[in-house]
Amino acid sequence: MPTGVHLRATRRRPTGLLALTVPLLLATGSPLAGCAADGTPPDPPEPASGTPAEADGARDELAALAAAAQDRHLTASYTLAVDGEASRTITVTSANDGTWRVDVPGWALGGTVDISLAATAEGLFQCALPSATRPEPAACVRLGDPDDTIPRRLDPRVQHPFTDWLDVLTDRQAPLAVSVSRPLPEATGTCYSVESTSASLNPPLDVGIYCYDADGTPTAVRTALGTLRLAAPPGPAPATVQLAGPVTEGEPLGTAVPPTPEEPATDPTTTP
């Protein structure tokens, strides 16, 4: 009889252990709860979003197009649209030898003088162009070496998308975030939104939207400056750019309006 009692006690132990184990498994989220009813393992989770890969792809695409733009030598006209101002036509020349010239109407001296910026083997130049408000012949002033930075007071900025900003767009180490953008109106090719990831007071380029054809032709740029759009199919590039006029010892022109000459004082006692 003692032996039978011992056996019955032994047989009850698995039941009590199972009663304790099932609630514990349910409470701790055991993998058993994730199994399908037929015993097959659950489907794997959905893969993470591909946004980082898409961003890297957009950055690579833009870098490749900017590199093609550096090798794209042409003569082209662009319409510059700025809110509250009449549209102007910017002429861009990228010569086969790497020299360049950008003509900007109505920029200097309060918008009364047309200028040209040019980089040649001899240096970086600003030229004042003849116009209806300035009938004098064109004359140029040397600003520095070809790769020098133009002082802010002399910088119209419209030349940057065709010159040094291309170096930034091809640099994978530059602090930029790039994504494919909705095309700008009347712009062909592919457009990219470019943001700065740096808190620097002097970002390497202006944030905005940059558009390129497959051959590297810049077709549109929208920044705080305004919107540049390719006005007509580009023409062939010259072998080298020519300055608009002779180099002089004069001073470069800024945007400030020149003072109005004072009228000569008259003697109130003088009678005609």
Side-chain angles (χ1 to χ4, degrees), residues 50-112:
T51 299
E54 292 174 0
D56 286 343
R59 181 71 181 270
D60 291 340
E61 290 174 8
L62 180 56
L65 289 171
Q70 290 177 316
D71 296 331
R72 181 76 170 96
H73 304 299
L74 48 73
T75 301
S77 296
Y78 290 82
T79 300
L80 174 62
V82 180
D83 289 343
E85 299 182 11
S87 296
R88 290 174 285 168
T89 299
I90 309 298
T91 304
V92 177
T93 303
S94 174
N96 293 329
D97 63 352
T99 58
W100 57 265
R101 172 176 162 177
V102 177
D103 292 359
V104 188
W107 182 81
L109 302 186
T112 62

Side-chain angles (χ1 to χ4, degrees), residues 79-243:
T79 300
L80 174 62
V82 180
D83 289 343
E85 299 182 11
S87 296
R88 290 174 285 168
T89 299
I90 309 298
T91 304
V92 177
T93 303
S94 174
N96 293 329
D97 63 352
T99 58
W100 57 265
R101 172 176 162 177
V102 177
D103 292 359
V104 188
W107 182 81
L109 302 186
T112 62
V113 177
D114 303 344
I115 68 162
S116 171
L117 290 175
T120 70
E122 286 71 37
L124 180 65
F125 300 88
Q126 183 206 71
C127 302
L129 305 177
S131 64
T133 58
R134 185 186 180 278
E136 298 94 327
C140 303
V141 177
R142 190 176 189 274
L143 301 179
D145 293 333
D147 295 330
D148 280 353
T149 300
I150 300 175
R152 183 173 294 274
R153 66 183 181 85
L154 304 175
D155 189 357
R157 300 189 69 77
V158 296
Q159 79 282 358
H160 292 296
F162 311 99
T163 58
D164 55 307
W165 286 355
L166 294 175
D167 295 332
V168 181
L169 294 176
T170 58
D171 182 5
R172 296 293 277 108
Q173 302 303 314
L176 302 177
V178 178
S179 60
V180 177
S181 170
R182 183 176 301 174
L184 292 176
E186 303 178 17
T188 60
T190 307
C191 297
Y192 298 86
S193 174
V194 179
E195 300 286 342
S196 175
T197 60
S198 171
S200 171
L201 295 178
N202 295 307
L205 52 64
D206 286 356
V207 301
I209 297 176
Y210 295 76
C211 306
Y212 296 88
D213 269 340
D215 63 358
T217 301
T219 60
V221 178
R222 175 181 289 173
T223 65
L225 174 70
T227 301
L228 283 162
R229 290 187 183 89
L230 186 64
T240 189
V241 299
Q242 301 293 329
L243 295 181

